[in-house]
Amino acid sequence: MTFNYPKGIKKIEGPKKRKAPTLSTSAANRGMGFEQDINDTNSYYLEKGMALIYKRPTPINVVKVDYTKGAKITHAYYEQQSTTDYNGVYKGRYVDFEAKSSKNKTSFPMGNIAPQQIVHLKRVIEHGGIAFFLINMYAAEETYLLKADFIIDFYEHGDRKSIPLEDIRKNGYLVKEGIRPRFDYLPLLDEIFLK
């Protein structure tokens, strides 16, 4: 956008139009919007002094960097398998959870959960921590908190490769959605784990 002023006064350039972001539908990036919403929610909780919960970084080992156009990593590998997405403290209790999003309309695929995540959350439960999954059912526009022991039991003893949406609704807790915080899951921790 350009503004033209009379009598030879210079033009002032306004903000340029940006291209609309394109959304990737690859499995690796499917939940990135959901994760960003969880990150924003956790930032809100931190600002308000309600909880201290962070996204856990995935440790990588950088092998090669291209310095010709700044510092761009061109070759790296994961140092170890990741455990869960988030951990922190709420009301003096350790909190550990995984956030998953699925575009499936009728069920949540168990293939989205890695074996090491199950092992990790079992250990969290054994040590008295609060362990759960936040599952965003994108097509249904619903997000549920499911206790980790429900998911672990289904993972280890279930006869299906996915959890039907009806089972998620029956065994999960619907997370209140809003603007700020986007996914208000702390009241559910009070109701489920801290009563």
Side-chain angles (χ1 to χ4, degrees):
M1 179 180 350
T2 304
F3 298 98
N4 293 311
Y5 294 97
K7 300 185 182 178
I9 298 174
K10 292 182 179 181
K11 295 180 188 178
I12 299 173
E13 293 290 325
K16 295 183 179 182
K17 289 184 180 180
R18 286 193 246 165
K19 292 181 181 177
T22 57
L23 297 175
S24 171
T25 55
S26 76
N29 294 324
R30 186 178 302 133
M32 293 310 288
F34 180 53
E35 274 192 12
Q36 186 56 53
D37 287 341
I38 298 299
N39 294 343
D40 293 344
T41 297
N42 290 338
S43 293
Y44 173 83
Y45 291 155
L46 180 63
E47 288 169 20
K48 298 296 181 186
M50 300 167 72
L52 180 65
I53 300 172
Y54 290 105
K55 173 98 172 88
R56 180 178 288 151
T58 304
I60 63 166
N61 191 348
V62 177
V63 177
K64 189 174 180 183
V65 179
D66 179 5
Y67 291 103
T68 59
K69 295 180 183 176
K72 179 180 178 183
I73 298 172
T74 57
H75 185 72
Y77 63 89
Y78 294 113
E79 288 181 359
Q80 60 191 25
Q81 292 179 323
S82 65
T83 53
T84 52
D85 289 332
Y86 297 93
N87 68 333
V89 180
Y90 176 61
K91 292 187 176 178
R93 295 278 303 273
Y94 177 74
V95 174
D96 202 305
F97 70 95
E98 179 67 17
K100 296 288 188 187
S101 184
S102 175
K103 290 189 178 182
N104 194 312
K105 293 179 182 179
T106 59
S107 63
F108 175 78
M110 292 302 289
N112 289 354
I113 300 171
Q116 71 270 13
Q117 292 173 325
I118 296 294
V119 170
H120 175 75
L121 288 172
K122 282 172 90 169
R123 290 177 179 155
V124 170
I125 293 167
E126 287 168 7
H127 288 280
I130 296 173
F132 60 94
F133 284 80
L134 285 182
I135 296 183
N136 175 255
M137 298 301 293
Y138 184 82
E141 296 182 4
E142 298 170 348
T143 300
Y144 290 90
L145 185 150
L146 286 125
K147 291 174 70 174
D149 43 9
F150 170 77
I151 299 285
I152 291 166
D153 185 61
F154 197 95
Y155 187 89
E156 294 179 339
H157 307 294
D159 57 349
R160 295 179 50 124
K161 292 184 178 183
S162 62
I163 304 173
L165 179 55
E166 289 310 312
D167 284 0
I168 291 171
R169 287 175 173 153
K170 180 180 166 189
N171 295 286
Y173 300 83
L174 186 63
V175 177
K176 182 181 172 190
E177 294 185 36
I179 296 173
R180 201 139 196 268
R182 178 71 179 99
F183 293 104
D184 194 13
Y185 63 87
L186 286 186
L188 294 176
L189 300 190
D190 290 330
E191 178 186 332
I192 302 162
F193 299 100
L194 301 173
K195 34 182 168 170

